[in-house]
Amino acid sequence: MAQVPISILKNTDMNFGTIAVSSVAGTVLLSGSGLRTPSGGVILPTITGTVSAAQFTVSGQDNYTYAIMLPVTDFSLYESGVGPAYMVVNAFNSTPSATGTLAGGTQTVLVGAKLNVGALQAAGSYTNVIGFTVVVNYN
């Protein structure tokens, strides 16, 4: 029997939701389960907006294990309406964290990261048009 090729399909984009910042820089850590943890001058308002870890479906050979490779470089999110305003995203994390098993031939992988917010960060909607790459390979 031939091995089924492994594949990954993005279902949902990562979204840090609505945040506020003071005159002190800070971060928002978004876990693979979609929980946000602020630090420094970042405040999480009651109205959260859309918050989601990136969601992928990994498909392949039933019961095979696979390895997840997340980005190790920083990515920038840019605000298109106010000029050169940007924030850096790094410290990617996933659930499952390093390996998974394709029970029934599929598994959902959730990816979070850390958003680095500057002091008095300009308000706006920040995006990254090039995205980031998550790689899966059979073990």
Side-chain angles (χ1 to χ4, degrees):
M1 181 168 149
Q3 178 176 316
V4 176
I6 195 166
S7 66
I8 186 167
L9 173 69
K10 182 192 70 157
N11 304 316
T12 306
D13 287 328
M14 183 183 300
N15 195 323
F16 288 91
T18 303
I19 62 171
V21 66
S22 68
S23 60
V24 177
T27 65
V28 177
L29 181 62
L30 178 65
S31 71
S33 61
L35 296 176
R36 300 184 302 167
T37 304
S39 69
V42 172
I43 301 154
L44 300 179
T46 305
I47 299 173
T48 63
T50 301
V51 177
S52 62
Q55 183 185 68
F56 300 87
T57 299
V58 178
S59 301
Q61 188 70 43
D62 186 27
N63 294 318
Y64 274 37
T65 61
Y66 62 91
I68 302 166
M69 291 178 280
L70 300 173
V72 293
T73 58
D74 294 350
F75 286 84
S76 295
L77 303 179
Y78 293 94
E79 207 301 308
S80 61
V82 297
Y86 72 96
M87 290 185 276
V88 172
V89 176
N90 57 18
F92 287 83
N93 64 81
S94 69
T95 303
S97 62
T99 63
T101 301
L102 297 171
T106 64
Q107 184 173 38
T108 299
V109 174
L110 301 168
V111 177
K114 180 173 71 172
L115 176 66
N116 298 275
V117 183
L120 302 173
Q121 185 77 46
S125 180
Y126 288 75
T127 59
N128 174 310
V129 295
I130 61 169
F132 61 88
T133 302
V134 175
V135 177
V136 295
N137 290 306
Y138 284 123
N139 283 333

